[in-house]
Amino acid sequence: MPKYILAKYIPEYSGREITLKGWVYNIRKSGKIWFLIFRDGTEFVQCVVLKNEVSEAVFEMKSTLTQESSIAVTGVVQEAPRQETGYEILVKNIEVYHVAEEYPIALKEHGIEFLMDHRHLWLRSRGPYAVMKVRAELEQASRDFFNARDFTLVDSPMFTPNAAEGSTTLFETKYFDRKAYLTQSGQLYSEAAIMALNRTYCFGPCFRAEKSKTRRHLTEFWMVEPEMAFFDIHDDMDLAEEFVESLVKRVLGNCKRELQMLERDTAKLEGITRPFPRITYDEALEILHRKGFEVEWGEDFGAPHETAISEEFDKPVMIWRWPAATKAFYMKRDPEDERYVLGVDMIAPEGHGEIIGGSQREEDIDVLLRRIETEALSREDFEWFLDIRRYGSVPHAGFGLGLERTTGWMCGTRHIRECIPWPRTMVRLKP
Ligand code: 4AD
Ligand code: MG
């Protein structure tokens, strides 16, 4: 028998005496019996303390133990069908590591700003706990997906001289006697890397000085970005669809307990199978006009538009072939109509917004140079990027999936700030 076990494994020890180490989540008292809801970061378990099963000192802990006190509980695992886990602990002994001071987050409703100010403590609660588990599963599932498909992980730098996604959201920082930006996307570096390694992905934080306070924008978020040599826009959409389907399957398979804690309606996720609907920007515009929105051709879509379009489908919808002016300089012009670029956005169902942005990349150096000029980007800083088009240029494509928005969709979380351990927004830098 191990010295102590993690609470998630109690079903394997049914009928046996074990020790758990963790924290007091809650205490409920009633006469000759009290209940301790225990958590150790792997599960939440009810422990039953009966007067005639423990020493008097342990029984009296009902008045001295406080929420979040740290303890070791020894007891017998018994079946308890009414418990979420199906088991509870009949307590034999409790050892105390530390009696916690009065905990700021009592088990009642608190305002979101209060909870966010106490994020370092709030992470211990059931909701944040479950969301962090789902986020970690998505991250690992992403790595597994690409590693299993001949992709090589090539991470991009965080300091860069280049604006990948427009100059309005750049974080500028002093870099010795020069200036640098925090990266908005690893894509430009991935475009170089695939010429060496064919298919690559990078996975890391991205930084954007988003000045709007929306529930979909962070200033620091994580993106997984695959990039593929010899892929066109259709190959790109095929891969994006396969990737997202695989993520949903992984979460449904491995995060059942977390989704249950979050009271997520999993039926909505179970229907997410290929193929996903694919519509062009022009078709999306028709949907919006039909639903009464006044959007002119050439305008970008905002959150209400995305939600209105996604309401037409019960799966993620891919909108492709965008007016060039709505998209970044590197997207390939549609050879059939110069007004469009071969870009794609994937919009999640249930109003969770754009989870993927991707495109086929412009491989013609002259077209790229013109775009760099009209976007007022520094040609000098992009010379290295232009080299990719000078030496063995090939058709290529890629996309980026936002980890927090995808986590929010899986968990049914309304606000993206709950989908990253330490959210950074225009108004939040602490804790
Ligand atoms: O559509 P975006 O801007 O695309 C790119 O950055 C491309 N360079 C990716 C590529 O092709 N390799 O961003 C991609 C995704 C969005 O769909 C969204 O999910 C997420 O990144 N995202 C954000 N998530 C949270 N907060 C923000 N401020 C975000 N900006 C983008
Ligand atoms: Mg986008």
Side-chain angles (χ1 to χ4, degrees), residues 197-375:
L197 294 136
N198 200 306
R199 294 177 191 179
T200 68
Y201 69 102
C202 59
F203 200 162
C206 298
F207 306 89
R208 296 189 193 178
E210 306 277 3
K211 283 161 208 101
S212 55
K213 286 181 231 163
T214 77
R215 58 189 178 86
R216 292 176 182 170
H217 289 91
L218 296 163
T219 54
E220 179 177 323
F221 63 98
W222 281 63
M223 195 172 7
V224 53
E225 296 181 84
E227 191 73 25
M228 298 74 66
F230 306 104
F231 268 45
D232 66 16
I233 183 69
H234 302 285
D235 303 325
D236 201 34
M237 289 193 280
D238 289 346
L239 186 74
E241 182 180 71
E242 189 187 353
F243 177 46
V244 170
E245 184 194 64
S246 84
L247 293 180
V248 176
K249 280 218 173 73
R250 262 290 278 270
V251 169
L252 282 172
N254 289 358
C255 300
K256 285 197 182 69
R257 178 80 178 105
E258 288 78 13
L259 296 177
Q260 176 196 27
M261 285 183 174
L262 294 164
E263 294 173 13
R264 179 71 167 109
D265 177 1
T266 51
K268 294 237 167 68
L269 295 176
E270 268 144 24
I272 308 299
T273 50
R274 284 179 287 167
F276 298 171
R278 292 178 194 191
I279 60 174
T280 60
Y281 170 89
D282 288 358
E283 288 164 342
L285 206 57
E286 269 171 42
I287 294 177
L288 290 174
H289 288 161
R290 175 159 52 74
K291 297 185 94 170
F293 285 89
E294 286 175 22
V295 198
E296 304 236 336
W297 188 92
E299 273 181 56
D300 201 358
F301 298 156
H305 305 120
E306 288 174 2
T307 302
I309 297 163
S310 74
E311 277 164 6
E312 303 292 296
F313 307 95
D314 47 17
K315 294 181 187 183
V317 52
M318 288 189 269
I319 307 172
W320 70 288
R321 205 164 180 259
W322 288 78
T326 60
K327 293 294 181 195
F329 77 96
Y330 52 70
M331 290 196 187
K332 185 178 170 64
R333 293 285 167 137
D334 186 339
E336 281 162 28
D337 189 336
E338 285 278 293
R339 293 175 304 151
Y340 295 92
V341 287
L342 300 177
V344 59
D345 284 2
M346 189 191 286
I347 314 296
E350 301 174 68
H352 288 281
E354 182 201 314
I355 50 169
I356 281 182
S359 67
Q360 187 168 336
R361 318 306 190 188
E362 184 57 70
E363 71 240 44
D364 183 321
I365 193 165
D366 296 321
V367 179
L368 262 184
L369 276 169
R370 277 205 299 279
R371 286 300 299 267
I372 287 174
E373 208 167 289
T374 49
E375 304 268 321

